[in-house]
């Protein structure tokens, strides 16, 4: 999958032997989107991970953010308002449609 450079795009990929799939590990402030069958993993404490899935186009993604929002000049994947924009826009670029996206949110301990 070809991407323009994005400092918030997760690049840590590996083969997960437990699931027998390629996997992407998402760190705080990062996101990842794919149409390939693969695992997307992260570790959460008080952070939040939003997982989106378009069941018709079979495109999914996850972000990992720490705070709800920052000031208008701080565009960082660490803030939920911007992290959601990054995730949704990247899914739309691959052909996902807003009306068919499903979301699950995790974390916030």
């Amino acid at each position: 999958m070809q991407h323009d450079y994005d400092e918030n795009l997760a690049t840590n990929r590996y083969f997960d032997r437990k699931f027998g799939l390629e996997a992407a590990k998402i760190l705080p402030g990062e996101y990842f989107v794919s149409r390939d069958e693969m695992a997307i993993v992260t570790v959460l404490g008080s952070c939040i991970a939003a997982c989106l899935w378009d069941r018709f186009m079979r495109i999914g993604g996850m972000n990992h953010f720490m705070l709800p929002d920052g000031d208008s000049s701080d565009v960082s994947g660490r803030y939920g308002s911007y992290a959601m924009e990054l995730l949704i826009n990247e899914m739309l670029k691959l052909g996902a449609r807003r009306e068919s996206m499903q979301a699950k949110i995790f974390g916030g301990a």
Side-chain angles (χ1 to χ4, degrees):
M1 175 163 55
Q2 188 75 2
H3 289 281
D4 295 330
Y5 174 75
D6 181 345
E7 65 185 29
N8 298 301
L9 181 66
T11 58
N12 185 356
R13 294 175 75 159
Y14 64 97
F15 184 79
D16 189 305
R17 290 180 296 185
K18 178 178 179 182
F19 295 107
L21 294 170
E22 183 178 1
K25 183 176 182 181
I26 312 304
L27 300 175
E30 294 182 338
Y31 73 95
F32 187 81
V33 172
S34 181
R35 64 171 37 130
D36 299 330
E37 184 176 346
M38 61 183 301
I40 304 176
V41 300
T42 195
V43 177
L44 297 172
S46 61
C47 292
I48 304 290
C51 302
L52 297 181
W53 172 247
D54 181 324
R55 67 183 184 272
F56 298 113
M57 299 304 293
R58 303 194 55 77
I59 298 168
M62 177 194 293
N63 61 24
H64 181 153
F65 59 90
M66 296 173 266
L67 300 165
D69 55 14
D71 65 41
S72 60
S73 66
D74 192 350
V75 288
S76 169
R78 297 178 309 151
Y79 299 104
S81 55
Y82 186 64
M84 291 307 299
E85 186 177 324
L86 289 170
L87 179 59
I88 292 167
N89 287 342
E90 192 67 26
M91 288 183 67
L92 293 173
K93 285 180 193 175
L94 291 180
R97 296 178 44 178
R98 288 181 192 271
E99 56 272 10
S100 59
M101 287 184 192
Q102 299 173 328
K104 290 191 178 185
I105 310 298
F106 302 90

